[in-house]
Amino acid sequence: MEKPKGLLIDLDGTLYHGRQRIEGADLLIKRLMALQTPYLFVTNNSSRTPEQVAAHLMEMGIPAKPEEVCTSSLAAAKYISEESPGAKVAMLGEEGLREALLSAGLSIVEHNPEYVVQGIDRAFHYDKLTHAVRWIQEGAVSILTNPDLLLPSDGGLMPGAGSLGAAIEAASGVKPTIIGKPSSILMKFASDRLGLAPEETYVVGDNIRTDIAAGVHAGCKTVLVMTGITTKLNMEAHMRETGITPDFVCQDLNEVIDLIC
């Protein structure tokens, strides 16, 4: 295989499970650093800032810097600011989304927004749903950071940003623009940050439906690693249902190291 000029690496399920590092995650990043191969950590998580994501990785012994992190919040803020610099935005989300929007020069408002941008919001309630639906019906553009229906947590699975987005879409009758995986927007944002064309970039992830699909949609090469969602038992079914086929399949991160390094 042709060695990648840059890598876009998924986090949960690829480098760690919750607070547990997956075997080989630290070695992969250290090898890329030694080879001076550019890479970014790419996550659908909209709640955390890049600093918080990097700190979480460092706690598990995985080298990381905030500038190496691409979140769906950062990509959403960039998307809106390129369409409408300084736009008025109503936000349903948490710290990571708020910081990204403000850093992009957007105004967070509570009346007459031009955009409604929604991520995971663990303080979501009926009034927020009502306001979002009314704003969208009045013409505000609906933006969803990521369509994940469920999120892993220490106590088990919990509803994700996509579950809240489904309620807003059902009530408003308007499909949102989706930023995170499996959309190509997040991957194109990340490859642009590397200064590389998508075809020069490899996506490494554990989920055919999100990571690999996003890479394919963006025009990147893809490496599926069997450390998370996709397994030997369900891979064929996921490929049939999505029409997505990874370029390479690795059983673990040690195989990924052998493949790309």
Side-chain angles (χ1 to χ4, degrees), residues 10-211:
D10 175 56
L11 293 179
D12 204 351
T14 300
L15 297 185
Y16 59 76
H17 294 129
R19 296 192 176 109
Q20 182 68 43
R21 184 182 73 207
I22 293 172
E23 182 181 355
D26 54 335
L27 299 178
L28 170 62
I29 302 306
K30 290 174 182 176
R31 183 70 64 85
L32 294 174
M33 293 170 65
L35 293 172
Q36 296 185 323
T37 301
Y39 61 89
L40 291 171
F41 303 109
V42 183
T43 176
N44 267 5
N45 189 323
S46 66
S47 66
R48 290 177 173 173
T49 65
E51 289 77 13
Q52 290 169 332
V53 174
H56 182 56
L57 289 164
M58 291 290 288
E59 287 170 3
M60 292 180 287
I62 302 170
K65 300 174 184 177
E67 59 267 28
E68 295 167 343
V69 177
C70 281
T71 69
S72 61
S73 291
L74 292 174
K78 179 73 178 302
Y79 179 87
I80 296 169
S81 65
E82 287 185 343
E83 274 203 341
S84 303
K88 296 186 294 181
V89 178
M91 185 199 88
L92 286 77
E94 299 183 1
E95 181 182 357
L97 183 55
R98 177 177 297 278
E99 183 173 300
L101 295 172
L102 293 175
S103 296
L106 301 168
S107 298
I108 298 177
V109 300
E110 296 183 359
H111 302 284
N112 303 317
E114 299 167 79
Y115 290 83
V116 173
V117 58
Q118 178 248 311
I120 183 64
D121 184 348
R122 281 163 283 203
F124 190 76
H125 53 69
Y126 194 78
D127 283 348
K128 288 187 178 183
L129 173 61
T130 300
H131 287 308
V133 169
R134 289 176 180 173
W135 288 326
I136 292 168
Q137 289 183 330
E138 290 166 2
V141 178
S142 180
I143 303 288
L144 177 60
T145 59
N146 63 291
D148 299 333
L149 297 175
L150 293 170
L151 287 178
S153 72
D154 292 339
L157 293 174
M158 58 185 288
S163 292
L164 309 185
I168 294 171
E169 179 181 340
S172 69
V174 176
K175 288 186 175 295
T177 295
I178 296 172
I179 302 296
K181 301 176 275 187
S183 167
S184 65
I185 294 174
L186 177 57
M187 291 306 184
K188 288 181 178 177
F189 168 71
S191 60
D192 285 347
R193 278 186 54 175
L194 285 179
L196 296 173
E199 58 268 20
E200 298 175 312
T201 310
Y202 282 55
V203 173
V204 180
D206 69 294
N207 192 333
I208 285 180
R209 296 177 181 274
T210 57
D211 310 316

